Amino acid sequence: EKRDLTLADVAKAAGVSKMTASRALRGAAECGAATRARVQKVADEMGYRANPIVALFHAAVRRRSEGYHATLGW
């Protein structure tokens, strides 16, 4: 049975941590341009697609300190 690719799979293939891979794929300023490009290239080659539900959840968590509140339904 084939499983979906995960961020951990991309991180391992790119030789970075999961946090670095996450930051790179989000285009975060904390991640250098060369690292962002390398991680994005690896993700594209592997066919990685972020889970949109998980992405929404994590975006809400990142904004939590700004007083943002969201309802996430399944």
Side-chain angles (χ1 to χ4, degrees), residues 5-25 35 38-40 42-43 46 48:
L5 289 172
T6 66
L7 184 62
D9 297 326
V10 173
K12 184 175 181 180
V16 298
S17 70
K18 285 193 323 185
M19 182 57 72
T20 298
S22 175
R23 287 178 177 149
L25 293 174
T35 301
R38 185 173 83 246
V39 172
Q40 186 63 59
V42 168
M46 294 176 76
Y48 173 76

Side-chain angles (χ1 to χ4, degrees), residues 2-72:
K2 186 178 176 185
R3 67 176 181 82
D4 291 337
L5 289 172
T6 66
L7 184 62
D9 297 326
V10 173
K12 184 175 181 180
V16 298
S17 70
K18 285 193 323 185
M19 182 57 72
T20 298
S22 175
R23 287 178 177 149
L25 293 174
R26 286 187 282 121
E30 302 93 350
C31 187
T35 301
R36 275 197 305 272
R38 185 173 83 246
V39 172
Q40 186 63 59
K41 182 179 182 209
V42 168
D44 290 344
E45 289 172 352
M46 294 176 76
Y48 173 76
R49 298 293 174 258
N51 181 320
I53 301 296
V54 174
L56 284 172
F57 171 75
H58 285 282
V61 168
R62 284 189 297 277
R63 287 189 297 265
R64 181 176 50 192
S65 63
E66 299 171 12
Y68 178 84
H69 298 282
T71 302
L72 180 64

